[in-house]
Amino acid sequence: MYCYTDEKKIRLHVKNIRGDLGRSGRGAGQMVRTYKKKSTRGQVSKSVRQDAVDAVLKGCSLRKAPESFQIPKETLRRAVEKSRKGKELKSFSDSCKIRQVFSEAEELELTEYVLKASRIGFPLDSKSIRKLSYQLAEKNNMSFPPSWAVNEMAGEDWLSGFLKRHECISRRTPEATSLARATAFNKTSVEAFFEKLQDLYSRYSFPPERVYNLDETGLTTSQKPQKVVAEVGAKQVAHVVSHERGETVTMCGFINAIGNALPPVLIFPRKKFKSNMLHNAPPGAKGLANQSGWMTGDLFLESL
C-alpha cells in the first residue's frame, strides 16, 4: 500500500507501474482489444475530405475551407498534396486493412470453413483456428507478426479481432452428441419424417390443442448452491446439503401447440415405485421406476 501526498511522487509511481506492466505483460507490438479512442483525431470521413479537397482545387483558400467543412487545417493540407500528386485518399479503416494478415476474401473463406466444420459436427476450438490461420499464412508466404512463428499459431488478439469482423461466428459451448444421433439426423430421414407428418395432417384435421410435443430431461436431486455472503479470504465456504452428488431423475414433459402442459412423468432410479417418491411433486404427476432411472421403450409407452 502506497500513500503519497506529493503529486509529483504519485505521477512518478504511476509511471513506474505502467513501465513494469509494459515489460512483464502486454509489451510492444500487442494491441489493446477493448481500446476506445478518446479524441476525434482521424475521424473525418473520406467523403468530407474529398469535398474539401475539391473546393480547394476549385479556388477556395486553405483558410476558409477548414472552417466551412469542419476539418483540421493540416489534415486538409496533406489531403490536397496527395490529390495533386495523384494519390488516392484513404480512410482510417482502409489504412487498418493494409496491416491485416488476410484479405477480406481470404477471411471469408476461412469463415466458411469454420461454419462448415461446425455444421457437420466437428467444430473448431480457438486454438485450432489460430493454428490453422498460422499454417494458412505460412503456406501462402504472407506477412504476419513474429510471435506467430514463435508460437506456431495466430495470436489471441488476432482471433478476437477476427470474431468481431465476422459476427456470423462466435465462441459457443457445444453439446455432446453421439455418432449414432449425428448420422441419423440427415436429409433423407428428415424428409421422410415430414412426409409422414404431412400425410397425417392431410387425413386428420388436428386442432392445435390436439398436437402435442414431448421431451425428456434429467433432474438432479442435489441442486447447486447459490452465492452466499461469507468471510473474505476464507479458504473454503461450505454449504451443508443432504448429499454432495445427487441422483438423476428422468422427467418427461408434454405440451401442446397452444401452450397447455400436461403433468410430467418422473422416472426414479429404483426397482419398484413407491407413492412417497412423489412427495411435493406437481399435481397429477405420474411416477415410474427403473433400475437405471432412464427412459425405456416400455416406460415410454406407459408415459404416453
Side-chain angles (χ1 to χ4, degrees):
M1 179 65 68
Y2 296 90
C3 183
Y4 292 128
T5 56
D6 191 353
E7 184 178 356
K8 292 184 178 179
K9 292 183 178 180
I10 294 176
R11 292 180 178 177
L12 179 62
H13 177 62
V14 172
K15 185 177 181 181
N16 292 334
I17 292 178
R18 290 176 177 174
D20 294 338
L21 290 176
R23 289 188 294 269
S24 61
R26 191 176 295 277
Q30 289 183 323
M31 59 180 287
V32 181
R33 298 176 200 163
T34 58
Y35 175 76
K36 293 183 180 180
K37 193 166 182 150
K38 299 179 178 62
S39 66
T40 58
R41 182 181 178 185
Q43 294 184 359
V44 180
S45 64
K46 185 177 179 180
S47 59
V48 174
R49 280 190 299 162
Q50 188 63 51
D51 293 340
V53 169
D54 294 340
V56 172
L57 295 179
K58 290 179 180 179
C60 184
S61 66
L62 279 173
R63 291 184 179 181
K64 294 182 179 180
E67 297 178 358
S68 302
F69 293 91
Q70 298 295 321
I71 182 174
K73 183 178 179 180
E74 282 298 315
T75 302
L76 179 57
R77 184 186 62 81
R78 289 193 298 267
V80 171
E81 290 181 359
K82 287 184 178 180
S83 181
R84 287 173 177 172
K85 293 179 181 180
K87 295 182 180 180
E88 182 184 358
L89 296 180
K90 294 182 179 180
S91 62
F92 179 75
S93 58
D94 294 334
S95 301
C96 291
K97 289 178 182 179
I98 296 176
R99 301 182 60 185
Q100 289 185 11
V101 179
F102 303 106
S103 63
E104 291 186 4
E106 292 165 346
E107 286 198 350
L108 287 176
E109 186 177 356
L110 181 59
T111 303
E112 288 296 329
Y113 180 81
V114 173
L115 290 174
K116 184 176 181 180
S118 176
R119 289 165 183 163
I120 64 176
F122 296 93
L124 303 176
D125 57 2
S126 299
K127 186 171 289 187
S128 299
I129 297 177
R130 293 165 59 189
K131 289 183 178 180
L132 178 63
S133 303
Y134 164 71
Q135 294 171 3
L136 179 62
E138 185 185 30
K139 293 294 183 181
N140 291 276
N141 297 322
M142 297 178 177
S143 177
F144 51 81
S147 59
W148 288 29
V150 175
N151 301 323
E152 295 186 350
M153 66 175 67
E156 181 64 29
D157 291 328
W158 174 86
L159 179 61
S160 177
F162 176 71
L163 295 177
K164 288 180 180 179
R165 288 190 295 272
H166 303 278
E167 298 181 353
C168 58
I169 55 176
S170 62
R171 289 184 172 95
R172 301 284 300 276
T173 301
E175 180 181 355
T177 306
S178 64
L179 182 60
R181 174 175 289 188
T183 53
F185 186 76
N186 52 60
K187 184 177 180 180
T188 304
S189 300
V190 173
E191 286 181 350
F193 170 79
F194 281 103
E195 286 177 0
K196 295 179 179 179
L197 184 63
Q198 183 65 31
D199 180 58
L200 287 175
Y201 281 155
S202 61
R203 284 189 292 167
Y204 309 99
S205 298
F206 292 117
E209 64 272 11
R210 296 291 293 171
V211 179
Y212 278 85
N213 188 19
L214 65 92
D215 195 10
E216 62 179 56
T217 184
L219 305 178
T220 178
T221 57
S222 179
Q223 303 298 325
K224 183 179 179 180
Q226 298 180 355
K227 288 188 177 182
V228 296
V229 179
E231 179 186 359
V232 176
K235 197 170 185 180
Q236 182 179 3
V237 178
H239 190 163
V240 178
V241 294
S242 58
H243 37 255
E244 296 180 0
R245 294 186 178 180
E247 296 179 339
T248 300
V249 177
T250 300
M251 186 204 77
C252 188
F254 305 83
I255 188 170
N256 62 10
I258 61 175
N260 294 334
L262 294 179
V265 176
L266 302 175
I267 303 176
F268 297 90
R270 295 290 187 274
K271 287 186 177 181
K272 294 183 180 181
F273 171 75
K274 296 183 179 180
S275 59
N276 59 357
M277 295 180 183
L278 291 178
H279 182 64
N280 289 334
K286 182 177 180 60
L288 300 174
N290 185 28
Q291 185 67 30
S292 63
W294 296 347
M295 177 72 74
T296 62
D298 297 334
L299 295 180
F300 183 71
L301 292 177
E302 191 172 351
S303 301
L304 291 179

